[in-house]
Amino acid sequence: MFEDDIFVEEMVIRRRNLLNLLIGVAAVIALITTVSGFSTTLSSSFSNMGAGTLTVSITGSAAEGFTVTNSHVDEVGTLKPLVDVVRSGVCRGAVALVGCNNPRVRPDYAHIELMKKMIANDIIVIVSGCSAQAAAKAGLMYPPNPTSCQYSTIGGNVATNAGGASGAKYGVTRDYLLGLTAVMPDGTVLRLGNKCQKDVAGFDLPRLLCGSEGLLAFIADVTLKLIPLPQSIRTALAYFSSAEVAGAVVTDIVSRRILPCTLELMDHTFLKTVADVYGVPCPDNAGAALLIEVDGHDVILDSQMDIIQQVCQEHDAIGFQTAHSAEERETLWKARRGGTAALVRKADVLVTLDYAVPISQLPRALKLIENLAAKHHCNVVTIAHAADGNLHPMVLYSPSNQQQAAAYKAFCNDSVQAILDIGGTISGEHGIGLEKKAYLPLQAGHEQMRIMKGICRIFDPYGIMNPGKMEM
């Protein structure tokens, strides 16, 4: 069992050099945001303006080090160990940013800097936000680019099968994953997939690793599909009396055979916080807002936006603003982008939950969250990638306050069950990790859990990848 301390200690002692290497490189990937020569290297791959591929990789001696040759381990071993406890693990293929990492991992950032200097000439690390900007210069795009693009990594995106604001129209990470290089727990390096747009030779192992949260292997190299940028985009911000009404607008827009590339829902507290902190104006009687974007050819966008405005008016929209320039579009986006940072200032802890429901159930799910927050006296703020039914209730509380901590736990328990009861999932894009570990069997059931544990045993028979995340 992963929870057996003696067993875990034996396995970690056996694999100490490998673990130190994996954790060290993972931390480097999570922290490096630019690498010298990155733009030149990336741009050279975009000579054709059609759909292309992007390879995000660890190359050279750093990748060779995963074979755990004595000389390389000795070299890396001269650094101070990057973990200060016996039980350790790597989540997401990189250091976790969504609360799903093993909490006993404590990277030594000073020594990560030393390792970065040692291997910077041998690696190309591309953070997702940077790759999106570079691709755009060549007229291409990586659609799953998440809203956390300024600090999340491609490796982490693949390990959690991350989504984003455009998931409903363009899909998520797995839909653009062509291949990857994986490092097995024993140090074996495997190249999975290729650059082919279609490939059904054998099992789809790259997609098996996509979303595996660091339980199966370490993701060292990723090849992604890129597509042409749309010709144009239209942006609007509409306000409504409640989140439930805004949710009904979402289902009506989709029923009119319009699939926006962005359809972001923000509740009243979220909007008010942004107004207070950043001065972004918001109608006093607004209970929620929708940030709506459609993209494609100019010839169809104006008519689509006319239909969207009509739907909003049918639901008694309090206000409807459209952007007529890139600057105005950026202004409309301020409410969405600035809200979470503004909320962090208002509580000791902000925990972002990650549910998803069928689109038809979105209004009901929003009302359930609102009712449960009131029932447990929880301070809950809700945003959503509404076009694909992905809700993010954000709970603000103080863990040192026993009453608030108990209310948070009760809200999580009840909201998980409520979401499952209406056919939803406990995670739409963030992953399970340790935070939702206890809830996974409620959704997956005994047989699915048995199969997933069996897959873990095949990849990691000694249980050194994120020990404790999945019982065996």
Side-chain angles (χ1 to χ4, degrees):
M1 298 293 289
F2 279 178
E3 290 297 301
D4 187 319
D5 287 333
I6 296 176
F7 175 79
V8 172
E9 184 171 357
E10 285 181 358
M11 293 306 102
V12 174
I13 289 173
R14 253 184 245 179
R15 308 290 187 182
R16 185 181 300 275
N17 285 336
L18 175 62
L19 275 174
N20 283 342
L21 182 60
L22 292 181
I23 294 165
V25 177
V28 172
I29 292 175
L31 293 176
I32 298 177
T33 56
T34 56
V35 174
S36 177
F38 152 73
S39 297
T40 302
T41 303
L42 186 60
S43 298
S44 66
S45 302
F46 296 154
S47 55
N48 298 319
M49 294 299 287
T53 60
L54 165 65
T55 299
V56 182
S57 61
I58 301 172
T59 60
S61 63
E64 292 165 8
F66 283 113
T67 60
V68 200
T69 61
N70 290 334
S71 59
H72 190 85
V73 169
D74 290 341
E75 180 184 10
V76 176
T78 61
L79 301 178
K80 181 180 177 181
L82 292 172
V83 287
D84 57 8
V85 291
V86 170
R87 183 180 298 173
S88 58
V90 180
C91 177
R92 302 180 59 190
V95 172
L97 299 178
V98 294
C100 64
N101 62 306
N102 189 316
R104 299 190 184 186
V105 176
R106 298 179 179 85
D108 184 322
Y109 293 103
H111 290 83
I112 289 172
E113 290 298 315
L114 290 176
M115 180 172 282
K116 182 172 71 173
K117 292 177 183 177
M118 288 175 55
I119 65 175
N121 292 330
D122 298 321
I123 67 175
I124 299 171
V125 178
I126 302 175
V127 176
S128 56
C130 299
S131 61
Q133 294 165 14
K137 292 179 181 178
L140 299 169
M141 65 185 286
Y142 174 61
N145 196 34
T147 49
S148 59
C149 62
Q150 295 305 312
Y151 48 85
S152 67
T153 65
I154 288 289
N157 293 169
V158 172
T160 55
N161 188 27
S166 301
K169 181 170 184 177
Y170 288 109
V172 295
T173 301
R174 66 167 173 250
D175 300 308
Y176 297 84
L177 178 64
L178 297 178
L180 56 83
T181 297
V183 183
M184 300 291 283
D186 65 357
T188 301
V189 179
L190 293 178
R191 177 63 194 174
L192 305 173
N194 47 51
K195 294 184 180 180
C196 297
Q197 299 287 327
K198 298 171 71 175
D199 179 5
V200 294
F203 293 150
D204 193 344
L205 294 180
R207 289 196 180 195
L208 176 61
L209 266 66
C210 185
S212 62
E213 299 185 33
L215 280 167
L216 305 182
F218 180 84
I219 298 168
D221 173 297
V222 178
T223 301
L224 302 167
K225 178 173 67 175
L226 303 177
I227 64 174
L229 276 169
Q231 184 183 72
S232 298
I233 191 165
R234 300 284 189 276
T235 305
L237 183 63
Y239 297 95
F240 303 93
S241 59
S242 70
E244 188 177 9
V245 171
V249 172
V250 172
T251 59
D252 278 4
I253 290 174
V254 175
S255 72
R256 304 289 177 96
R257 296 194 292 182
I258 296 175
L259 190 55
C261 61
T262 301
L263 196 45
E264 294 289 285
L265 183 148
M266 300 156 279
D267 76 1
H268 169 74
T269 305
F270 189 91
L271 295 170
K272 187 175 184 305
T273 302
V274 172
D276 292 343
V277 175
Y278 297 113
V280 178
C282 171
D284 292 337
N285 56 341
L290 287 175
L291 178 67
I292 309 165
E293 290 191 321
V294 290
D295 65 359
H297 291 284
D298 283 316
V299 68
I300 64 170
L301 294 185
D302 288 337
S303 61
Q304 285 190 344
M305 193 55 76
D306 288 342
I307 294 172
I308 288 171
Q309 184 170 6
Q310 179 184 339
V311 172
C312 292
Q313 290 171 347
E314 290 172 0
H315 288 268
D316 301 319
I318 296 169
F320 189 90
Q321 303 171 251
T322 56
H324 301 286
S325 66
E327 291 75 18
E328 290 183 9
R329 180 188 179 217
E330 191 62 30
T331 298
L332 296 185
W333 265 97
K334 280 184 179 178
R336 174 62 180 88
R337 288 185 177 137
T340 303
L343 286 166
V344 167
R345 305 181 186 187
K346 291 182 169 289
D348 293 344
V349 169
L350 182 152
V351 179
T352 302
L353 305 179
D354 175 45
Y355 303 135
V357 297
I359 303 298
S360 62
Q361 295 295 325
L362 182 61
R364 184 179 176 189
L366 290 164
K367 190 63 178 177
L368 284 170
I369 294 297
E370 181 182 330
N371 290 343
L372 288 172
K375 172 185 175 181
H376 295 293
H377 305 287
C378 262
N379 186 4
V380 178
V381 182
T382 300
I383 58 175
H385 307 310
D388 54 14
N390 191 185
L391 298 89
H392 292 309
M394 297 181 287
V395 186
L396 292 78
Y397 77 107
S398 175
S400 61
N401 184 312
Q402 292 185 357
Q403 186 175 358
Q404 290 184 22
Y408 162 69
K409 185 64 175 177
F411 172 80
C412 288
N413 290 340
D414 284 359
S415 60
V416 162
Q417 192 58 59
I419 292 296
L420 293 177
D421 287 345
I422 61 174
T425 174
I426 61 175
S427 182
E429 61 183 0
H430 290 176
I432 300 300
L434 296 179
E435 184 181 90
K436 303 186 190 80
K437 171 183 165 182
Y439 300 127
L440 182 58
L442 297 178
Q443 177 174 332
H446 173 74
E447 280 304 301
Q448 285 192 61
M449 291 298 298
R450 182 184 65 80
I451 292 169
M452 287 189 286
K453 291 173 183 178
I455 293 171
C456 284
R457 291 190 190 100
I458 292 171
F459 278 80
D460 182 23
Y462 295 109
I464 66 171
M465 299 296 286
N466 273 317
K469 276 188 65 176
M470 184 174 286
E471 303 285 340
M472 289 204 181

